[in-house]
Amino acid sequence: MANRAPTFSTQRIIFLAVSLLLSIQVGWWINVQIRESGRLLQARAEALNASRAEAWQLDSLGMLAFIHGRPDPSSRSGAVEGRFATLPSLEQRREAIHRRFPHVLVVTTPSTPDDIALLDGAAFLALRPEPMLELRNQRWHSVFRVATEGAFMVAAVLFGFVMIYRKLSEELDLKLRQRNFTSAVTHELKTPIASLRVWTETLFTRTLADEQRERIRSLMEKDLDRLNELVGNLLDVARAESGSLVLHLEPLELEPWLRGVCDAMDHRLGAGALGLRLDFTTEPLWVNADPKALGVVVENLLSNAYKYAAEPRQTTVTLDGDGEDVLLVVSDLGHGLAHKDLPRVFHRFFRVGDEMTRQVAGTGLGLFLVKEITTRHGGEVRASSRGAGLGSAFTVRLPRIPRPEDA
Ligand code: ADP
């Protein structure tokens, strides 16, 4: 048990480190992808700008050819007056540009500072907005796609890690509990056996007064009860795990039966030691149950109320109907349970605290068995507590059946 904390924290550190590395890696990948798509957008924008510059060049060269060149005499398109040919109209130039550079527009007023004035200042060359808008849209799409893919990747891998981590933690936890269980069982077996040996030797080697014999007999009975309970629990757990825990269900009226189990337990633990108070409804409540198995449930809950409370104990057993169900509650004013331990107390071998802090002997099987048996009866069990030191309550809910005579 001593190596429990470091093992779990090492696991946590590895898990956090891997998650961090993964997130950095994916963040870096997203960044690279976004930069790449930015570069692509820039390259395309430059290509468009270059086509506009080329258009300007084409138009300017054409103009210069008209100004300085000798027009073909056979051509009827432009007569020569002095040194100048008749210039082509703006419409003709626009058509010529548009044919070669479909993304370049000839406009009379510039819409952006980048628009270039034609050589004669008659118009300006602008770029069509659609290709740039399309490029920008494409870029945002690719950024969005990369970001969602990255987020999905991180989520998927982290989910996998969480699953592995949980599985490993569970296995580790079970191993540690199992190791703890072995030493607890050894201790639980050895203590009453050692004590029985001492009492047997005392009985056979000494002359004792009747009163002393009687006291030793009741102590031996307690040891035998302890052994009997432990062996019974071990056998039941083994049966529950192998699926061979057979229940003999029969209609059972809870009130008289429960009163009997509580009285027997009170007697076994020492009359009045539980500080038992029974709070039963007067309404007859019937369930379909195996009295012996259900007895194990109540005995384990009462035994815990005894073990995990200091004197003077106050244990209350409540029996009441709740719609279609019956509620059986065993509550005490003992050590109580921390919120995080409430669902874990039903795990096999689970015991609160560690070897250093535990003062009460036990195996961590009692509540596991309580849950197994209750579930097999079609019911459920829940632990509640107002916190450590404030007592706890165990609520067993069983499906109610009508009184056999009324059925
Ligand atoms: P065991 O009593 O043999 O240890 P259980 O399965 O009966 O095993 O109980 C598991 C753990 O739950 C106990 O070790 C104890 O820490 C806690 N527990 C059970 N019942 C109570 C109770 N009434 N009050 C406080 N803690 C309890």
Side-chain angles (χ1 to χ4, degrees):
M1 216 53 206
N3 60 350
R4 178 186 171 130
T7 318
F8 272 113
S9 52
T10 313
Q11 257 194 337
R12 260 176 215 143
I13 289 169
I14 293 174
F15 175 71
L16 282 178
V18 171
S19 313
L20 196 70
L21 270 178
L22 183 82
S23 305
I24 291 173
Q25 174 81 26
V26 173
W28 177 79
W29 178 76
I30 292 175
N31 187 25
V32 166
Q33 296 293 318
I34 290 175
R35 274 218 309 254
E36 272 305 303
S37 70
R39 242 180 254 144
L40 205 68
L41 177 75
Q42 204 185 340
R44 290 205 187 144
E46 275 166 12
L48 282 172
N49 275 326
S51 72
R52 174 163 56 182
E54 250 188 273
W56 183 86
Q57 207 178 10
L58 176 93
D59 184 69
S60 302
L61 286 176
M63 291 287 290
L64 289 172
F66 270 105
I67 292 167
H68 299 296
R70 296 190 198 326
D72 182 357
S74 61
S75 161
R76 289 168 189 274
S77 63
V80 176
E81 284 173 16
R83 279 186 63 213
F84 296 101
T86 303
L87 291 175
S89 72
L90 189 60
E91 200 45 48
Q92 285 171 318
R93 287 160 71 188
R94 176 181 281 135
E95 254 175 48
I97 288 172
H98 187 66
R99 223 177 296 124
R100 287 273 309 271
F101 305 99
H103 294 317
V104 179
L105 291 174
V106 178
V107 292
T108 46
T109 40
S111 50
T112 67
D114 294 338
D115 293 352
I116 314 169
L118 291 176
L119 195 64
D120 58 349
F124 295 86
L125 292 183
L127 288 175
R128 273 187 195 287
E130 294 86 359
M132 281 310 284
L133 277 179
E134 201 182 316
L135 280 178
R136 267 190 209 111
N137 278 347
Q138 273 176 9
R139 174 150 196 254
W140 281 117
H141 275 134
S142 68
V143 167
F144 179 73
R145 203 198 63 222
V146 163
T148 42
E149 274 175 12
F152 180 75
M153 258 161 61
V154 173
V157 177
L158 283 185
F159 179 74
F161 267 115
V162 169
M163 286 300 161
I164 295 171
Y165 173 76
R166 281 180 66 172
K167 192 84 207 135
L168 279 178
S169 301
E170 265 168 32
E171 271 173 25
L172 201 67
D173 195 33
L174 183 66
K175 256 192 202 142
L176 290 167
R177 280 188 275 135
Q178 232 157 353
R179 196 186 306 160
N180 166 52
F181 162 77
T182 314
S183 59
V185 166
T186 315
H187 176 261
E188 281 286 274
L189 283 170
K190 274 188 168 173
T191 312
I193 289 172
S195 151
L196 282 170
R197 174 176 288 151
V198 171
W199 297 133
T200 321
E201 273 175 21
T202 313
L203 280 178
F204 286 102
T205 55
R206 292 215 198 148
T207 319
L208 299 166
D210 284 352
E211 200 183 289
Q212 285 172 314
R213 277 181 178 278
E214 195 47 42
R215 204 176 68 83
I216 289 176
R217 194 181 69 86
S218 90
L219 288 172
M220 288 176 84
E221 256 176 18
K222 277 211 166 103
D223 284 334
L224 285 170
D225 280 343
R226 195 169 156 184
L227 277 175
N228 195 33
E229 187 185 311
L230 175 64
V231 174
N233 271 356
L234 285 174
L235 281 176
D236 284 343
V237 167
R239 284 194 199 111
E241 281 182 335
S242 67
S244 58
L245 182 68
V246 182
L247 297 183
H248 301 285
L249 299 178
E250 58 183 71
L252 179 72
E253 186 177 6
L254 280 177
E255 196 267 336
W257 169 84
L258 188 57
R259 206 174 279 281
V261 176
C262 290
D263 285 351
M265 203 56 190
D266 190 42
H267 176 74
R268 214 178 98 192
L269 294 171
L274 268 170
L276 204 56
R277 193 171 73 86
L278 305 184
D279 184 2
F280 294 175
T281 173
T282 47
E283 185 189 2
L285 296 171
W286 288 78
V287 291
N288 228 351
D290 179 329
K292 198 161 166 263
L294 205 57
V296 172
V297 169
V298 179
E299 279 165 15
N300 269 300
L301 293 179
L302 288 175
S303 163
N304 282 349
Y306 175 83
K307 285 198 294 185
Y308 302 108
E311 278 186 67
R313 297 180 186 85
Q314 287 183 54
T315 314
T316 308
V317 180
T318 314
L319 183 64
D320 208 351
D322 182 29
E324 304 275 284
D325 297 328
V326 171
L327 294 185
L328 190 166
V329 187
V330 176
S331 56
D332 61 61
L333 296 179
H335 300 178
L337 287 158
H339 187 71
K340 68 173 170 44
D341 290 329
L342 291 176
R344 303 202 291 168
V345 288
F346 298 103
H347 291 179
R348 207 165 32 135
F349 310 134
F350 178 83
R351 304 202 71 218
V352 174
D354 56 37
E355 296 296 83
M356 305 299 288
T357 56
R358 253 178 239 140
Q359 281 153 10
V360 184
T363 56
L365 288 180
L367 290 180
F368 170 73
L369 208 53
V370 165
K371 184 164 185 163
E372 280 290 315
I373 295 174
T374 309
T375 314
R376 293 282 306 276
H377 278 85
E380 60 179 36
V381 58
R382 207 164 45 83
S384 53
S385 172
R386 279 185 292 132
L390 298 172
S392 31
F394 291 84
T395 306
V396 177
R397 180 181 284 275
L398 294 168
R400 188 176 174 176
I401 59 162
R403 201 162 53 152
E405 298 93 84
D406 305 338

